Amino acid sequence: MLKTYITSILLCLSIFANAQQNFKPGYILSDSKSDTTFGQIDYQNWENNPKEIRFQNNNNQILNIVTSEISAFGISNEEHYQTKRTSLDITPNQEGRLLKTPNRTITEDTLISLLVLVSGENSLYFFKDKRDKEHFFLEKQNEITELVNHRYLIEQNSKLYIRELPLYRAQLKSLFSDCSKEVKVDGIPFVKKSLTKKLIEYNECVGCTYLCYYEKKKDASSISLGLVLAYNSENKNFVHIDYLPDIRQRYTLKSQGLTYGINAEFVMPRSLNRNRIYFEAYYIQEKIDTELKDYLQKLNSINLTTLYRRSLANTNEIKPYLGIGLGLKYLLTPRDEHIFNPLEVITPQLLLELGIKRKNLGAYARLKSYPFPTSDYEYLYKRVAEVYDKFTYKKLQFQFGLSYFLINKTN
């Protein structure tokens, strides 16, 4: 049985690996606007401007395309990139990498794919290199200028200090000089939102048309909180032993009913909203339906669950997912003065689940395994020490649940 469970987990991991691709409608542009090819692009919400993309054409062929060999590509209604030849300031700009010289290092005639922030007669582009340095380029009258925010180290009294030269502000003043009114750039920070806003203000001033692509949905972490209602089905062996008359009564008990609890879901950053950690806590009451009315009548427990969930689709309104994880079943001590505490109060479970989510509502089917021999509860009765009850859970159990997120930030 355990071998079957392990095989199922390995199959799920294989599905997770194949689910890493995320094809979305897009296009590539070779040399001219008439040479546009539409298809699907494996969109990975790139942190750095991609040097290579996977493109699926209408014949379902998947091609690996070097972005510097095409003139443009994009994800429809999301991101657009254009390949430009320009000079590039590669001087280190992050703390820990700064140089002790004001000199800058420039590479000429560099061919790179730039993320379009504003497109029009005056355009703004963004590029994040392999060292995570952020670059901004402004194109005016087909001439591209890199905006420069230069930082370097200076030494004073045997201590190092960072000197920052926001040269881009003077560059913007010069580039915006033909505007009939002043576009204020003093104090403007070197970030996407602020620079985009200023270029839009300039385009509107000089009467130029433009398209703004800045508003990209952040792939940040988020958390949701809610309630869970589940139908729990568990089978277990129940043995009632009385040593004096040497009575051993065996039963197979079926515990079926509704459980309720609370849950939380955490979406990992930079995962295309796919990788999630799910937490759940719910209460279970299992009734013992036998003719032994003088003994234990029910088992009460709290279940704590942690799962890793992987969404198999990210663009559909209904999102299926697979999950694997661990559960802990904590047995609450019966309020009976004639019963000793059970010998085992915490029982581990291995979990495998398949589910779907639509906005705030989720549903799942879960397979629970009790793989360890400690999955036994034994109760010894004080009044007759020769009598005790023993419960052993079957190795595989099932659970079906519904969850509703009262605070939903994950979708």
Side-chain angles (χ1 to χ4, degrees):
M1 193 67 71
L2 183 58
K3 182 178 179 181
T4 303
Y5 188 83
I6 294 174
T7 302
S8 301
I9 292 178
L10 292 177
L11 178 62
C12 290
L13 293 176
S14 175
I15 295 174
F16 288 160
N18 292 330
Q20 294 292 331
Q21 59 188 19
N22 184 39
F23 281 96
K24 288 189 173 185
Y27 66 91
I28 58 173
L29 184 64
S30 296
D31 295 321
S32 63
K33 291 185 178 180
S34 60
D35 196 16
T36 302
T37 303
F38 294 94
Q40 302 272 331
I41 291 179
D42 187 8
Y43 176 55
Q44 295 298 318
N45 200 17
W46 302 289
E47 178 73 14
N48 301 78
N49 294 43
K51 292 185 177 181
E52 187 175 279
I53 60 172
R54 300 178 71 221
F55 179 76
Q56 185 177 42
N57 58 26
N58 292 329
N59 296 324
N60 292 325
Q61 293 177 310
I62 297 179
L63 308 172
N64 293 323
I65 297 176
V66 178
T67 57
S68 60
E69 296 178 355
I70 55 178
S71 61
F73 68 94
I75 310 298
S76 301
N77 302 318
E78 291 194 43
E79 289 186 15
H80 302 271
Y81 291 83
Q82 292 185 15
T83 301
K84 301 288 184 178
R85 191 175 295 276
T86 181
S87 59
L88 183 67
D89 185 345
I90 61 172
T91 311
N93 199 43
Q94 302 101 317
E95 292 186 25
R97 296 179 179 175
L98 298 178
L99 304 178
K100 297 180 182 179
T101 174
N103 298 328
R104 295 160 51 207
T105 304
I106 311 294
T107 60
E108 303 291 344
D109 202 31
T110 305
L111 195 62
I112 51 177
S113 292
L114 305 175
L115 174 64
V116 181
L117 299 180
V118 179
S119 177
E121 297 175 51
N122 304 296
S123 301
L124 181 66
Y125 305 103
F126 173 80
F127 177 72
K128 190 172 185 179
D129 62 27
K130 62 182 180 181
R131 293 189 174 182
D132 293 332
K133 179 180 178 180
E134 296 186 348
H135 306 256
F136 292 93
F137 298 86
L138 196 150
E139 184 176 29
K140 181 178 180 181
Q141 298 177 352
N142 296 321
E143 182 177 344
I144 297 180
T145 302
E146 180 175 3
L147 304 178
V148 178
N149 184 38
H150 186 46
R151 305 171 77 211
Y152 62 95
L153 297 174
I154 59 172
E155 186 173 354
Q156 292 182 350
N157 300 324
S158 301
K159 292 185 179 181
L160 291 176
Y161 298 91
I162 297 176
R163 172 165 290 179
E164 186 166 340
L165 298 178
L167 304 177
Y168 64 94
R169 293 171 184 167
Q171 291 175 292
L172 291 175
K173 278 187 178 181
S174 176
L175 291 167
F176 295 166
S177 60
D178 55 341
C179 178
S180 58
K181 65 176 183 178
E182 181 184 6
V183 179
K184 297 181 179 180
V185 295
D186 294 335
I188 179 176
F190 196 67
V191 294
K192 287 182 185 178
K193 185 175 182 179
S194 300
L195 295 176
T196 299
K197 183 178 179 180
K198 287 301 174 183
L199 185 60
I200 290 175
E201 183 181 344
Y202 169 70
N203 276 331
E204 292 176 347
C205 174
V206 297
C208 293
T209 58
Y210 65 89
L211 291 173
C212 179
Y213 298 110
Y214 163 68
E215 292 298 336
K216 171 184 173 181
K217 185 178 179 181
K218 292 184 178 179
D219 190 10
S221 60
S222 56
I223 191 169
S224 295
L225 302 173
L227 303 174
V228 61
L229 178 67
Y231 176 79
N232 197 61
S233 176
E234 290 196 340
N235 296 334
K236 51 188 168 295
N237 294 322
F238 169 48
V239 181
H240 175 72
I241 301 175
D242 189 337
Y243 284 111
L244 284 182
D246 195 20
I247 296 176
R248 292 174 180 264
Q249 295 171 292
R250 299 178 182 273
Y251 303 88
T252 297
L253 301 180
K254 291 186 177 181
S255 174
Q256 298 176 336
L258 294 177
T259 66
Y260 52 89
I262 58 175
N263 61 4
E265 188 175 60
F266 173 75
V267 173
M268 300 179 187
R270 304 300 306 171
S271 68
L272 297 173
N273 209 28
R274 285 180 167 181
N275 298 331
R276 301 157 183 258
I277 302 296
Y278 178 81
F279 304 96
E280 188 177 84
Y282 57 89
Y283 171 79
I284 293 181
Q285 183 177 91
E286 303 169 87
K287 294 184 179 180
I288 302 171
D289 188 15
T290 73
E291 66 270 20
L292 303 173
K293 303 303 181 182
D294 294 333
Y295 297 99
L296 197 62
Q297 300 299 310
K298 60 187 177 181
L299 295 174
N300 299 320
S301 61
I302 298 292
N303 271 43
L304 303 176
T305 298
T306 302
L307 287 155
Y308 165 72
R309 286 177 170 177
R310 171 73 183 184
S311 295
L312 303 182
N314 197 38
T315 57
N316 301 330
E317 186 174 359
I318 298 178
K319 298 179 173 63
Y321 62 82
L322 283 173
I324 55 176
L326 178 67
L328 293 176
K329 187 170 186 175
Y330 180 78
L331 189 66
L332 302 177
T333 303
R335 294 181 179 178
D336 191 327
E337 61 181 4
H338 301 296
I339 301 176
F340 282 112
N341 291 347
L343 300 182
E344 298 287 346
V345 295
I346 297 179
T347 305
Q349 307 163 343
L350 297 178
L351 306 174
L352 178 65
E353 72 170 6
L354 175 65
I356 58 173
K357 185 180 179 185
R358 183 181 183 274
K359 296 183 179 179
N360 292 53
L361 186 64
Y364 64 78
R366 187 176 296 165
L367 176 67
K368 301 191 293 184
S369 172
Y370 293 87
F372 307 110
T374 55
S375 303
D376 298 337
Y377 299 141
E378 293 185 1
Y379 290 93
L380 182 65
Y381 294 90
K382 294 180 181 180
R383 59 188 176 189
V384 277
E386 297 82 2
V387 178
Y388 75 93
D389 294 333
K390 180 178 180 180
F391 300 87
T392 303
Y393 283 90
K394 297 291 184 68
K395 290 297 183 182
L396 291 179
Q397 311 286 354
F398 296 94
Q399 184 178 18
F400 304 92
L402 292 174
S403 61
Y404 185 82
F405 291 101
L406 301 173
I407 303 175
N408 185 21
K409 301 293 184 180
T410 58
N411 277 333

